Amino acid sequence: MPDPLLTRLSPATTPRAVALVLHGGAVRSHRPVDGRSASWQRARVLQRAMAPRLHAEGVAVWLLRFRVRGWNDPASPSPVADARWALDRVREEVDVPVALVGHSMGARTAVRVSDSPAVRGVVGLAPWLPDGEPVRQLAGRRLVLGHGRGDRITSFALSRAYAERARAVARSAAFRDMGDVGHYLLRDSGRWNAFTVDSVLEVLEL
């Protein structure tokens, strides 16, 4: 099994924060993620689109490539360990606040690891947040979720319900209806990109 991989896009000066991007995946799959993975490639496009505006604010944009494609074991999800590994790398290399940006399975991973001390909050894009997904780890963090009503892969209604439940513990929790768009951030990509950058800056209070 390959190790997790970080792709770093950094501003010209020492970063004052990091946006850590987590890509999507599958409910179950032990297939390795490589550079041909569509989920990772979509996240790479998002990373590059975010970088210019965030670099202007001193924010580095890092992209994590998970080892395998699936969530897999509910008791010990595969991407959660990888995300905690990436957060350890942020602490060791730059030790700055972090905004987690997750698409689909990556958003579920992001909320699971949001209890890390460096994390200021989570930006979830078309998130996979099943009924009963815990919110307690978001205590004191900011949460921003965006979901399209045309999504046939993950649930718009469950994302909105998750944001409502998170308000009981989070510093703030917002839900944005992205309109009649689907799951893969392809339709109206410019608006997705702008929403993501604005939300990262909101989470980091920049």
Side-chain angles (χ1 to χ4, degrees), residues 142-155:
R142 294 183 182 274
L143 174 69
V144 184
L145 301 180
H147 213 134
R149 286 177 275 109
D151 196 327
R152 299 293 178 264
I153 306 298
T154 57
S155 171

Side-chain angles (χ1 to χ4, degrees), residues 38-151:
S39 294
W40 182 83
Q41 288 180 353
R42 279 190 292 271
R44 180 70 168 137
V45 170
L46 176 64
Q47 180 196 27
R48 289 170 172 161
M50 293 166 61
R53 275 189 63 197
L54 290 181
H55 284 178
E57 299 294 337
V59 180
V61 188
W62 293 15
L63 169 62
L64 173 63
R65 194 171 82 190
F66 298 128
R67 289 172 296 169
V68 298
R69 300 185 184 201
W71 184 259
N72 299 321
D73 181 2
S76 182
S78 301
V80 168
D82 294 349
R84 292 203 183 278
W85 172 89
L87 287 167
D88 286 344
R89 302 291 79 72
V90 174
R91 178 179 53 79
E92 291 171 2
E93 295 182 26
V94 289
D95 197 18
V96 293
V98 176
L100 297 170
V101 179
H103 173 238
S104 193
M105 183 187 77
R108 188 178 185 186
T109 304
V111 298
R112 286 289 182 100
V113 303
S114 61
D115 56 356
S116 171
V119 173
R120 297 295 180 267
V122 172
V123 179
L125 311 174
W128 173 37
L129 295 168
D131 193 24
E133 185 68 19
V135 297
R136 61 185 180 277
Q137 66 276 15
L138 285 162
R141 274 67 174 174
R142 294 183 182 274
L143 174 69
V144 184
L145 301 180
H147 213 134
R149 286 177 275 109
D151 196 327

